[in-house]
Amino acid sequence: FCFTCVKWVKGGREWENHCSEHLWNLDDPFCGYVTRRGLVVAAARCPFCLGDTAITPSRRFNQFIDPHTYHNHIDMHIKRMFDRNIRCPFPLCDDRFRSKDDFKEHLRHCHGMF
């Protein structure tokens, strides 16, 4: 199920193609998830994976619906970063930061995360 288009897509190649289309048309910097009355209405996305052209489109456009899994995934990426000269990995964002704390604040305010 694609939370972005709110429609079902068959698996396999069709899903890869569908995810590729979203990646080509990225226009929304929001990466956090949205819930309404306990139901996920917008799945979270990883800004690190969205910008990683070495992985498949379906992995780049992975939709996280569990907050715990999402936060662990993001924390794993952040732990691998150096604490200086940090560039936002979101494909349409080129902001740079001097510390992980500044970067996390950017993720919170500009990408709707945490």
Side-chain angles (χ1 to χ4, degrees), residues 54-90:
I55 59 178
T56 64
S58 60
R59 285 194 55 214
R60 287 178 65 193
F61 201 72
N62 190 19
Q63 303 176 106
F64 292 88
I65 57 172
D66 174 53
H68 182 74
T69 303
Y70 180 60
H71 291 301
N72 284 342
H73 179 84
I74 297 300
D75 285 344
M76 181 241 351
H77 282 295
I78 290 174
K79 285 178 184 174
R80 293 178 179 170
M81 299 173 77
F82 293 108
D83 199 21
R84 61 186 183 286
N85 196 24
I86 298 169
R87 183 179 102 30
C88 181
F90 187 79

Side-chain angles (χ1 to χ4, degrees), residues 3-22:
F3 281 88
T4 304
C5 333
V6 192
K7 72 176 192 177
W8 291 99
V9 178
K10 292 180 184 176
R13 191 81 228 133
E14 189 173 332
W15 180 247
E16 288 295 328
N17 292 338
H18 184 82
C19 292
S20 290
E21 287 179 36
H22 281 299

Side-chain angles (χ1 to χ4, degrees), residues 29-71:
F30 186 79
C31 291
Y33 58 92
V34 178
T35 59
R36 177 96 167 125
R37 297 183 181 179
L39 297 173
V40 175
V41 294
R45 300 175 298 170
C46 174
F48 294 92
C49 293
L50 285 169
D52 185 353
T53 58
I55 59 178
T56 64
S58 60
R59 285 194 55 214
R60 287 178 65 193
F61 201 72
N62 190 19
Q63 303 176 106
F64 292 88
I65 57 172
D66 174 53
H68 182 74
T69 303
Y70 180 60
H71 291 301

